[in-house]
Amino acid sequence: MYEALGIVNFENSDVTVGGLTDYRPVAALSFLGRFRMIDFVLSNMTNSGIQNIQVYTRYGGRQLFEHVGRGSQYNINPKRGKLQLLTSDKQFRNDVYNHDIAHFMEHMRFIEASKCPYVVIAPSYFVHCCDYSEVIKHHVEAGNDITVVYSSLENADKNCLECDTLTLNEEGRVTAIAPNIGKNKNVELSLETYVMERKFFIELVKKADETSALYWLKDIVRDVCDEVKVGGYKQTNKVCCVSSLRTYHLNHMELTNHVAAEEIFKPEWPILTKTNDSAPTQYAPGSKVKGSLISNGCFIEGTVENCVLGRNVVVKKGAVIKNCIISADSFIGENAKLENVVVDKDAIVNHVKKLNGTADAPIYVKRADRI
Amino acid sequence: MKKDNMVAMILAGGRGSRLYDLTKKVAKPAVYFGGKYRIIDFPLSNCANSDISVVGVLTQYESVLLNSYVSKDQNWGLDAKDAGVFVLPPREKDDTGFGLYRGTADAITQNIDFLDQNEADYVLILSGDHIYKMDYAKMLAAHKAANADCTIAVMEVPLKEASRFGIMNTNEEDIIVEFEEKPAQPKSNLASMGIYIFSYDVLRQYLVEDDQKADSNHDFGKDIIPALLNTGKKCLAYRFEGYWKDVGTIDSLWEANMDLLNPENILDLADPSWKIYTEDVNELPQFIGANGVVDNAYITEGCVVDGEVKNSVLFTNVKVEEGAQVIDSVVMPNCVVKAGAKLVRCLVQENTIIPEGVELGHENSDKIDLITYKNAKKEG
């Protein structure tokens, strides 16, 4: 067992989930009703035995502070472990300077003070189960300087255009990293999850800072892959990439199927989150619910097909919602008809409204909107 | 120590033998209720919501699960600096050796040191086996306003049922003048709910005296309250209006669960201002499958419904397979209703697997069928 410092990185600026990310970072985005995106990476870390974790956030600290807290819900030992939420005091007006390297430099003393020999860096916009202790083991055995976790992606010509792809040689060494420009159907997708020695990481961050004022961590990793040994670690579990409103909607629709969801939620790998103490959900007489994933605290009188409902959602009589994601505390009024709509928190969609999006272009209803 | 410190003591040692197999390995307060709760979540959450910080839980019968359950005080937000849930099972003592709790009052007497330690000004005595929501802070305010020695929560019951309860006869100021345990000819319909607030100095004195009496049952209803009344202490009846249910039998437990299907139910577990807290099971939200039919149901986390669920309550992690039917039933956690099985008017014990095609219960039965993991195979 190798001791590692966990670093939850924020996503690059290309990753935006429609209007949802106007209000919160991707890390704090709700996923499958009761979870938030960050639950997956944090659970992966604590399930892998990582007890010291730094969460970097570019903006929107409030939701993360409230949700993550001291991290005891993730099994972080309140005395021996530590979860640090690191926001930035140096926000630049020009957003191109607000990159992860700037944040790492700002908080360098915390990274330097850590006693852990290794670091695991991972973002929260990929939903998957990943045992980082296996990645570290592979990293040490392969003698890598940097190990990048990747996943084979089909339909890369349409999906994950915000991400990077890897070129690997026969020994599993990464020879090139390039943005996914949608040219190929099948690619090896970088999950932006890196393992390296902590000291190496510190040097790499400093090097990035010296090289360019605009560099992100992934840029310097791309630069050094012909100088140092960058190895790949293939993730064979199912990976959901949430990098746009369309993929957010698409992944949710896929996971309303219980069998598909079992590929992500495994009994031996619990995904932990904060409880909200909502009562069970009430299905009124005459309600029709099919193929859906429903959180607690809902009250349903209408028709719900292939939807994901967050906590405390109300669906009134005569309302028909299909292929929708309704976030927590929202209200769907009598006879409202919604198809392929993503409704943000606390919204009220009142009766005789008809909203029809498509799977390729779902409609987004803003937080606390009344329509 | 804070001013007017009220310490709650929850009597949770009872077996609840009329719940049969449900209480074979756990005490009644640990029995599941309402989809995601256990019965004891109700008094514990009421305490937390009433700003009580120190809660003692007196356990005795089959207490291993209950002790570990209630000791996770963070589940009810009772883990602040000065707060805590303290498990108090019987213990070995220097002078008297090991003694079980001989009655409800004796359980408190044997823990007088706990109350002394916590510098109680008032003691709230609760029972761990009732379903209700109550603000004990309001009850304490009434106790203080009346300058009472003891305040007993009461509720009006139909007069013809009054002979099943402990009945309080009061004057026009709701001061109790007489207490009758299960009277044949009830003079009033104010039934005791088994919820008492005592001024601690008075309670302490009466408990110590009662402990010396050889003929005492060491019971609050039978001994302590009558002793207070006989010696002219001021006992106030505190009227409670709302949902209150003793879920002591299979039928009443089934019925109280079915009450949750009524959206007008005054217990209203969805009320955000008075939440009932419980252990965090960390399950997925509920899946209603492509073949699922859900009509009038109360369903919680971890359930997967691909069959038909009608007028029923499903607890955590219940699976209803394709073609299975659950009608007018209460299904406790981790049960699986296999394909083609049918349940009608049943209460199913936790962890029970209903095999494929088995039909249990009857539409017109006058008693609810208790299905345990032992008798689940029986053909209906």
Side-chain angles (χ1 to χ4, degrees):
Chain A
M1 179 87 179
Y2 302 96
E3 287 253 357
L5 169 70
I7 290 180
V8 178
N9 201 359
F10 50 81
E11 64 286 351
N12 68 67
S13 318
D14 293 338
V15 177
T16 52
V17 183
L20 289 162
T21 41
D22 290 348
Y23 297 100
R24 60 207 50 95
V26 171
L29 196 59
S30 83
F31 195 72
L32 290 184
R34 76 169 297 196
F35 301 98
R36 290 193 191 243
M37 294 294 285
I38 197 169
D39 293 335
F40 296 87
V41 59
L42 286 178
S43 300
N44 282 340
M45 284 184 175
T46 56
N47 287 343
S48 307
I50 295 174
Q51 281 283 318
N52 283 289
I53 299 173
Q54 299 179 344
V55 176
Y56 287 83
T57 179
R58 194 139 73 126
Y59 59 94
R62 178 190 61 85
Q63 294 102 332
L64 282 181
F65 272 116
E66 276 184 24
H67 184 72
V68 169
R70 292 201 309 171
S72 53
Q73 72 267 35
Y74 302 107
N75 275 324
I76 293 172
N77 184 302
K79 301 285 184 191
R80 284 178 51 77
K82 189 172 196 177
L83 190 146
Q84 277 177 298
L85 200 57
L86 298 165
T87 57
S88 175
D89 296 329
K90 296 178 192 156
Q91 289 283 332
F92 293 98
R93 195 165 291 235
N94 187 343
D95 208 34
V96 294
Y97 296 111
N98 296 323
H99 43 65
D100 53 0
I101 294 295
H103 282 232
F104 296 144
M105 287 303 290
E106 186 180 341
H107 299 295
M108 185 50 82
R109 63 193 188 91
F110 294 116
I111 303 170
E112 284 176 338
S114 167
K115 299 273 186 292
C116 300
Y118 295 93
V119 286
V120 175
I121 304 132
S124 48
Y125 76 99
F126 294 106
V127 170
H128 61 130
C129 303
C130 186
D131 187 344
Y132 300 132
S133 67
E134 289 296 320
V135 186
I136 302 173
K137 211 172 126 205
H138 172 87
H139 174 84
V140 174
E141 283 168 5
N144 290 340
D145 294 308
I146 301 172
T147 300
V148 188
V149 181
Y150 69 96
S151 164
S152 294
L153 178 75
E154 294 160 20
N155 304 325
D157 52 337
K158 289 203 205 91
N159 296 321
C160 305
L161 297 170
E162 303 78 7
C163 309
D164 282 350
T165 62
L166 305 183
T167 309
L168 295 115
N169 69 14
E170 281 148 17
E171 288 106 55
R173 188 166 165 172
V174 178
T175 55
I177 304 176
N180 177 22
I181 50 169
K183 213 174 93 189
N184 299 314
K185 238 176 141 53
N186 296 305
V187 299
E188 308 298 357
L189 188 76
S190 166
L191 301 183
E192 289 167 48
T193 299
Y194 310 103
V195 167
M196 52 192 110
E197 282 187 28
R198 186 175 52 85
K199 294 208 168 96
F200 187 93
F201 174 65
I202 292 168
E203 291 313 310
L204 196 66
V205 169
K206 288 180 177 165
K207 186 172 179 175
D209 187 49
E210 284 158 16
T211 309
S212 164
L214 302 178
Y215 257 27
W216 289 68
L217 179 63
K218 62 182 202 168
D219 297 317
I220 195 73
V221 172
R222 181 195 61 219
D223 276 12
V224 299
C225 71
D226 42 12
E227 295 163 29
V228 300
K229 193 175 175 195
V230 181
Y233 177 92
K234 186 165 177 161
Q235 159 69 292
T236 51
N237 292 334
K238 183 183 173 67
V239 176
C240 298
C241 169
V242 177
S243 54
S244 63
L245 186 64
R246 189 181 60 82
T247 49
Y248 180 72
H249 181 256
L250 182 77
N251 282 308
H252 272 84
M253 292 306 107
E254 225 183 280
L255 294 170
T256 54
N257 181 328
H258 179 248
V259 181
E262 273 172 5
E263 287 184 57
I264 300 231
F265 297 92
K266 302 171 180 191
E268 73 281 7
W269 200 262
I271 303 302
L272 304 157
T273 187
K274 184 182 147 196
T275 180
N276 191 43
D277 297 293
S278 297
T281 279
Q282 189 146 18
Y283 299 81
S287 66
K288 290 193 182 67
V289 182
K290 267 188 200 314
S292 293
L293 183 67
I294 316 279
S295 303
N296 269 3
C298 295
F299 181 69
I300 305 172
E301 291 177 315
T303 300
V304 178
E305 272 178 45
N306 300 326
C307 292
V308 176
L309 266 51
R311 292 167 176 128
N312 308 330
V313 167
V314 176
V315 181
K316 294 298 276 181
K317 210 171 275 174
V320 179
I321 55 175
K322 289 181 181 170
N323 304 327
C324 291
I325 303 168
I326 315 291
S327 306
D329 301 310
S330 284
F331 178 94
I332 310 296
E334 268 180 44
N335 302 320
K337 306 273 186 285
L338 273 63
E339 207 170 326
N340 290 308
V341 179
V342 177
V343 178
D344 207 337
K345 276 191 81 166
D346 294 318
I348 296 175
V349 179
N350 242 326
H351 44 97
V352 284
K353 279 284 170 196
K354 195 167 175 182
L355 285 175
N356 275 350
T358 63
D360 278 335
I363 290 175
Y364 168 72
V365 174
K366 287 213 301 268
R367 183 169 77 180
D369 249 8
R370 271 147 214 279
I371 53 174
Chain B
M1 194 49 72
K2 68 179 184 185
K3 197 170 154 257
D4 289 345
N5 180 31
M6 180 155 79
V7 173
M9 299 291 263
I10 303 181
L11 300 162
R15 173 170 188 168
S17 50
R18 287 172 302 156
L19 290 173
Y20 304 98
D21 276 30
L22 295 184
T23 52
K24 201 149 193 170
K25 272 308 279 181
V26 294
K28 180 176 164 191
V31 167
Y32 292 103
F33 177 81
K36 64 182 290 195
Y37 310 97
R38 292 181 190 264
I39 297 171
I40 197 161
D41 289 331
F42 287 80
L44 282 171
S45 302
N46 287 339
C47 285
N49 290 334
S50 306
D51 284 331
I52 292 171
S53 2
V54 176
V55 181
V57 182
L58 301 126
T59 63
Q60 180 153 292
Y61 171 77
E62 278 297 350
S63 58
V64 169
L65 188 145
L66 186 56
N67 290 351
S68 52
Y69 183 73
V70 301
S71 61
K72 290 191 175 163
D73 43 19
Q74 69 271 22
N75 284 340
W76 301 275
L78 288 164
D79 59 338
K81 184 100 180 132
D82 293 328
V85 176
F86 301 90
V87 185
L88 303 167
R91 57 184 139 151
E92 190 177 348
K93 291 198 179 96
D94 177 39
D95 49 351
T96 52
F98 187 83
L100 290 176
Y101 296 146
R102 294 168 293 170
T104 51
D106 185 48
I108 307 298
T109 311
Q110 291 201 38
N111 290 289
I112 275 183
D113 49 357
F114 173 78
L115 292 170
D116 288 347
Q117 240 169 53
N118 282 289
E119 294 173 33
D121 297 310
Y122 301 96
V123 178
L124 170 68
I125 307 288
L126 301 169
S127 130
D129 40 16
H130 299 145
I131 304 295
Y132 66 105
K133 286 180 176 177
M134 187 177 190
D135 188 343
Y136 306 130
K138 284 189 185 155
M139 184 171 165
L140 177 63
H143 177 84
K144 287 199 282 191
N147 206 9
D149 298 300
C150 168
T151 298
I152 302 174
V154 296
M155 63 185 299
E156 293 185 20
V157 293
L159 200 58
K160 60 176 195 279
E161 284 176 35
S163 52
R164 296 198 292 120
F165 295 92
I167 294 298
M168 304 293 161
N169 302 321
T170 59
N171 68 14
E172 61 282 3
E173 278 159 357
D174 277 345
I175 302 300
I176 300 164
V177 292
E178 190 188 9
F179 169 76
E180 294 179 285
E181 184 71 34
K182 297 181 181 157
Q185 302 289 320
K187 293 176 210 143
S188 122
N189 66 342
L190 291 180
S192 165
M193 298 162 67
I195 299 166
Y196 313 102
I197 289 176
F198 291 96
S199 299
Y200 181 51
D201 49 350
V202 176
L203 176 69
R204 198 181 194 290
Q205 178 200 337
Y206 278 75
L207 286 176
V208 171
E209 282 171 19
D210 178 74
D211 193 40
Q212 305 303 320
K213 289 182 193 154
D215 58 343
S216 172
N217 294 300
H218 309 294
D219 184 89
F220 277 102
K222 289 185 191 130
D223 306 290
I224 304 295
I225 304 300
L228 283 162
L229 290 171
N230 291 340
T231 50
K233 290 287 174 192
K234 191 173 185 185
C235 297
L236 174 73
Y238 176 76
R239 286 169 190 262
F240 172 78
E241 280 167 20
Y243 188 95
W244 180 88
K245 207 149 208 167
D246 181 355
V247 286
T249 63
I250 297 298
D251 280 19
S252 65
L253 180 59
W254 177 86
E255 206 178 275
N257 275 293
M258 295 306 264
D259 284 345
L260 299 171
L261 292 174
N262 177 5
E264 310 292 315
N265 178 12
I266 47 172
L267 185 63
D268 191 11
L269 294 179
D271 176 6
S273 68
W274 201 272
K275 280 187 185 179
I276 301 301
Y277 313 109
T278 184
E279 99 188 290
D280 180 18
V281 289
N282 209 75
E283 292 294 340
L284 274 172
Q286 50 209 282
F287 284 90
I288 310 299
N291 307 305
V293 177
V294 179
D295 189 6
N296 199 26
Y298 203 65
I299 303 181
T300 191
E301 285 159 353
C303 289
V304 180
V305 178
D306 216 16
E308 186 185 344
V309 177
K310 213 173 164 182
N311 302 327
S312 296
V313 179
L314 302 188
F315 288 54
T316 309
N317 252 332
V318 168
K319 312 278 187 272
V320 180
E321 294 186 355
E322 192 180 341
Q325 283 178 291
V326 178
I327 297 162
D328 299 331
S329 293
V330 172
V331 187
M332 293 202 163
N334 308 317
C335 290
V336 182
V337 186
K338 293 271 191 189
K342 186 176 179 182
L343 298 169
V344 184
R345 285 175 66 79
C346 291
L347 191 150
V348 186
Q349 182 177 25
E350 64 270 16
N351 306 326
T352 302
I353 292 168
I354 311 293
E356 253 176 60
V358 165
E359 295 192 8
L360 295 161
H362 300 278
E363 204 177 327
N364 302 313
S365 61
D366 26 307
K367 285 226 161 283
I368 298 305
D369 280 288
L370 172 64
I371 311 299
T372 66
Y373 33 83
K374 279 179 249 149
N375 71 6
K377 287 184 173 58
K378 187 185 72 181
E379 297 281 335

